[in-house]
Amino acid sequence: MNLEDKLAHFSKFCITDARSKADKIIADYQDALDKAFEEYKHDENRRAAMQLNIEAEKIKREGNRRISIEQTALKKQIGTEHEKLKEAVFCELTQRLDEFMKTPAYNKLIEAQIQAVLDFADSDTAEIYIDPKDEAMLDGLVQKYGNILRLSKDSFMGGTKAVIAAKNILIDNSFAKKLDDARESSKLELGGAFNG
């Protein structure tokens, strides 16, 4: 082998070795780039997922806030409508009570209430008050039950009130009391108002 062949062989060996080293460096660099790219993608996906969760929570909170505002407004509107309806019902009920007070059934109710007080009082003295609207009934009731009946100074919309001093008891069978009780409980169970 002459010098030229040796140089060509050495040159070929150096070039092959340099190419091999360059290919390895390029491959290592490409692996490092691929790894860095995968890490970057992973980080970006994680950031995007976090941002998505943050935005979803924000939307959820905003939705809940709006729902809460709507629920509050609806509850207020329902409450207002309930009060209007309740007032209309009680207005109608008051009118019907006024009509009822003009019937013979009302006279029977008053007498039943008086008799119930007398039965409860037994031998104790009772004072029974009727509404000023019922003044026309007073004489007939006094004749039937005696001087235990009084005309109240204050109106209580009909019915009776009674005091049994010996037992320290007030019996309030007035329509005003029954309406107040019904108003407080928001129940319209006033059927008992006509039964004493």
Side-chain angles (χ1 to χ4, degrees):
M1 215 192 224
N2 66 17
L3 187 60
E4 247 182 66
D5 289 338
K6 286 182 183 179
L7 261 156
H9 179 55
F10 179 71
S11 175
K12 188 177 173 183
F13 175 78
C14 285
I15 290 174
T16 303
D17 186 48
R19 276 196 184 139
S20 163
K21 287 180 181 177
D23 287 344
K24 183 170 179 2
I25 290 171
I26 289 172
D28 288 346
Y29 186 69
Q30 185 64 45
D31 288 344
L33 282 177
D34 289 344
K35 185 178 177 183
F37 181 66
E38 286 302 317
E39 286 176 6
Y40 174 78
K41 279 191 340 185
H42 180 267
D43 286 347
E44 285 303 309
N45 285 338
R46 188 177 51 80
R47 280 191 199 110
M50 283 174 50
Q51 188 64 32
L52 188 64
N53 285 341
I54 289 169
E55 291 301 318
E57 279 299 313
K58 227 189 259 186
I59 291 168
K60 188 176 175 181
R61 278 194 307 271
E62 179 63 19
N64 287 342
R65 186 183 71 80
R66 287 182 181 180
I67 287 171
S68 178
I69 289 169
E70 282 298 315
Q71 283 177 334
T72 302
L74 285 174
K75 283 179 185 176
K76 185 176 179 181
Q77 185 178 0
I78 288 169
T80 301
E81 292 302 317
H82 175 75
E83 285 303 313
K84 284 180 186 176
L85 180 60
K86 191 166 129 180
E87 284 306 311
V89 166
F90 279 100
C91 183
E92 173 78 17
L93 188 55
T94 302
Q95 289 173 354
R96 287 188 181 203
L97 284 174
D98 286 341
E99 291 169 13
F100 173 71
M101 290 174 68
K102 297 171 187 167
T103 67
Y106 177 67
N107 294 350
K108 288 180 184 175
L109 172 69
I110 295 297
E111 289 186 19
Q113 288 180 351
I114 292 169
Q115 191 58 53
V117 169
L118 293 175
D119 292 344
F120 181 77
D122 196 24
S123 62
D124 293 322
T125 304
E127 289 183 2
I128 301 172
Y129 295 89
I130 62 171
D131 193 275
K133 290 180 186 178
D134 300 328
E135 186 174 5
M137 297 171 60
L138 185 61
D139 290 339
L141 293 171
V142 168
Q143 286 177 2
K144 189 169 184 176
Y145 296 102
N147 285 332
I148 60 169
L149 286 151
R150 311 269 186 277
L151 191 62
S152 175
K153 292 178 184 174
D154 300 317
S155 177
F156 43 80
M157 297 178 66
T160 61
K161 289 185 179 184
V163 176
I164 304 171
K167 293 181 180 179
N168 200 23
I169 292 177
L170 168 68
I171 300 172
D172 191 346
N173 284 321
S174 68
F175 290 169
K177 172 72 169 137
K178 292 185 185 294
L179 283 172
D180 286 344
D181 291 348
R183 223 182 267 275
E184 282 181 28
S185 66
S186 291
K187 293 180 183 173
L188 301 178
E189 300 174 347
L190 293 178
F194 303 113
N195 298 325

